[in-house]
Amino acid sequence: MVLVLVIGDMHMPYRKASLPPKFKKLLVPGKIQHILCTGNLCLRETHDYLKNIASDVHIVRGDFDSNTNYPEQKVVTVGQFKIGLIHGHQVIPWGIMTL
């Protein structure tokens, strides 16, 4: 069985100092094969933490990420599935109330 963690908008340490302890206990290195992150890691330390959990980590840029090297969008293949990643702030930017 392949385990994929999809996560985003962590905003650490700005909104929360760390992950909730019950959730963090589930993130055992080597247990999860792929991590797909939709951005807003905010700090390099959070990226390094995810790389410690799984070697295959894919990240797209969120609107609060300091790393501008993350792509805006990405397509990842996991097994027979193609998965598109985007943070979402590009779809409807902040302040746009009507389409």
Side-chain angles (χ1 to χ4, degrees):
M1 176 172 59
V2 175
L3 290 178
V4 179
L5 172 66
V6 180
I7 194 166
D9 284 314
M10 296 171 74
H11 290 278
M12 293 188 322
Y14 306 112
R15 292 191 184 170
K16 189 76 173 171
S18 65
L19 294 171
K22 287 183 180 182
F23 182 67
K24 199 170 186 176
K25 274 177 67 173
L26 300 172
L27 304 179
V28 178
K31 183 177 181 181
I32 298 167
Q33 288 75 39
H34 309 275
I35 297 178
L36 309 179
C37 180
T38 60
N40 284 346
L41 295 178
C42 297
L43 297 178
R44 176 71 188 185
E45 290 82 3
T46 308
H47 173 267
D48 294 343
Y49 176 73
L50 294 178
K51 287 291 284 184
N52 183 51
I53 296 167
S55 59
D56 188 38
V57 178
H58 300 275
I59 302 168
V60 293
R61 186 170 58 237
D63 49 341
F64 286 92
D65 281 319
S66 58
N67 185 341
T68 57
N69 292 323
Y70 296 144
E72 287 279 327
Q73 58 191 11
K74 189 173 192 176
V75 176
V76 178
T77 301
V78 176
Q80 64 186 23
F81 299 100
K82 284 192 175 192
I83 304 164
L85 295 175
I86 189 168
H87 178 262
H89 68 280
Q90 307 91 329
V91 177
I92 302 177
W94 286 103
I96 304 298
M97 303 304 286
T98 60
L99 295 177

